[in-house]
Amino acid sequence: MIPSEALPSATTRVGRALARPTAVLLYLLLMALVSTVGCTRKPSAVVPTNVPLVEALDAGDPSVAVDPQSHDVLMSWVAGDSAGYRIWFSRSTDQGENWSTPVAVSPVGEPLRLHPQSSPVLLCDDAGRVGVAYSTSYEVEGRKWPASTLRFVTSTDGGRSWSPAATINDDAALGPGNHGFFGVTRGVNGKLYAAWLDSRPGADSLPEHINEGHDASIHLARSDDFGRTWGKNVGQWSHVCPCCRASVAVDVVGNPFVAFRKHFEGQVRDAVVARVGYVPVRMANDRWVQDGCPHSGPPLLMSLDGTLRMAWFTGAEGHVGVYFRETLAETLDSLGTVVPVLTGEHLPTVHVALAEAGMSGTLIACDADSTGGRGLTLARVEPSGRRLVERFAMPNVQGVDHPHVAVAPGSKLAYVAWTTTNDDRRRIRLARWTVGR
């Protein structure tokens, strides 16, 4: 169940803002000094590295994480062929040069949802536990779209063995429904939070826009035992684009925040961010008119300094591109400066990933370059969130799809994973990013 403190009163919210720890305030002041003193900047360096051994004909949808204690690199991916697909896992103890023998994570014969906006998400915690969230796909007679469930598997031995899959959505006994396009994040003390797109009504129970297609709603759930069991599902917002991934972040007291693409009347599809129990706030007044769901959800993270960091793509006429914002969680109604990351009228629909790199700022990965090709663009925003300090395209990389980026707290090493398609065959790829400052 989502905790009751997820719906704080106005008095509680003010109290929390005033009680923000001194260390966080000092951190914010230090970030401001770093961005204004004019110190020498050191650029990033990115090199390709190895990936786990993949024997299947088709492999894609990688998710990457870094063990916060050992700094081992962890990767999951989907691989298979016409006979079926499974999720696989491997670990590298030497920064991606060598990998453990891949281990199958999902049960034999379970039909996976093969959609990059609903691909598996890998995460780990300080205790060495590893988890993978994923969605399934079941054809149902008479339904236009397949039904799906949201699942979670856990390993307590570093990924060598995995628990039976737990189901996150609590309506499995009520018949087929849609549950996918999800985000999962860690809280404190082993708690996990999931947010996803659901076919059940949202808490606001809004009617459908006439003649504008069917939408989804956002539902949330919490696990108190690192994914082995999940609590009650809580419906939140309606009019959600039905194929754009939702992202979830949580503050230190367990308040969830969710980013998603909302379907406004008039086929306007803009990225929004919301805290549970409140009206969503536009990340920008893009007013992107799009007849269908663009399949590009906005990533969101809660940084160590207590700020929300978000990015999104818009195809709105006159300002097509990827943008970034940073804001204190308490002031969602007055979001900060919009930072252009990658712009151009000839860009395709871009998929974006985020990670925090401490004093080096926020890392951003995009599956497009300035020419409009499917290259890999990497960027870095300064810790204050006000300025882009670095952007470059990784050379000799094409056919990039849905990148994912991860970095260990306190580390200067990040890892970027993506799917590449050549000769109609998908492959997983990985690069090691030595972050500049």
Side-chain angles (χ1 to χ4, degrees), residues 330-344:
E330 292 88 353
T331 56
L332 275 185
D333 56 344
S334 55
L335 293 172
T337 303
V338 174
V339 179
V341 176
L342 180 66
T343 60

Side-chain angles (χ1 to χ4, degrees), residues 345-388:
E345 290 301 320
H346 299 294
L347 291 178
T349 298
V350 185
H351 308 100
V352 191
L354 284 182
E356 181 185 11
M359 299 289 287
S360 294
T362 306
L363 308 184
I364 304 173
C366 307
D367 61 358
D369 55 37
S370 58
T371 69
R374 281 296 183 194
L376 179 64
T377 295
L378 303 177
R380 185 162 54 90
V381 176
E382 67 179 5
S384 72
R386 296 193 301 266
R387 182 173 52 181
L388 190 73

Side-chain angles (χ1 to χ4, degrees), residues 306-327:
T307 58
L308 281 171
R309 304 181 185 187
M310 60 203 78
W312 68 97
F313 169 77
T314 179
E317 185 175 357
H319 56 284
V320 176
V322 175
Y323 297 87
F324 172 88
R325 291 190 94 151
E326 182 174 325
T327 180

Side-chain angles (χ1 to χ4, degrees), residues 193-243:
Y193 296 77
W196 66 93
L197 274 58
D198 202 294
S199 54
R200 290 173 287 179
D204 45 13
S205 299
L206 299 176
E208 293 285 352
H209 299 313
I210 298 175
N211 299 324
E212 293 191 6
H214 294 290
D215 295 327
S217 68
I218 296 290
H219 277 59
L220 297 98
R222 191 184 79 192
S223 170
D224 293 336
D225 54 9
F226 201 79
R228 287 188 174 275
T229 60
W230 290 83
K232 179 179 177 172
N233 298 178
V234 180
Q236 287 297 318
W237 306 281
S238 301
H239 288 329
V240 181
C241 273
C243 296

Side-chain angles (χ1 to χ4, degrees), residues 88-99:
W88 297 82
F89 170 86
S90 186
R91 173 187 293 265
S92 172
T93 61
D94 56 4
Q95 301 177 0
E97 294 301 318
N98 296 280
W99 292 85

Side-chain angles (χ1 to χ4, degrees), residues 72-89:
D72 290 353
V73 191
L74 315 179
M75 183 183 284
S76 69
W77 66 97
V78 176
D81 53 31
S82 58
Y85 285 77
R86 297 185 74 183
I87 301 168
W88 297 82
F89 170 86

Side-chain angles (χ1 to χ4, degrees), residues 28-41 359 382-387 389:
L28 291 171
L29 288 172
L30 185 57
M31 293 298 98
L33 286 173
V34 167
S35 64
T36 58
V37 165
C39 58
T40 302
R41 298 196 183 279
M359 299 289 287
E382 67 179 5
S384 72
R386 296 193 301 266
R387 182 173 52 181
V389 295

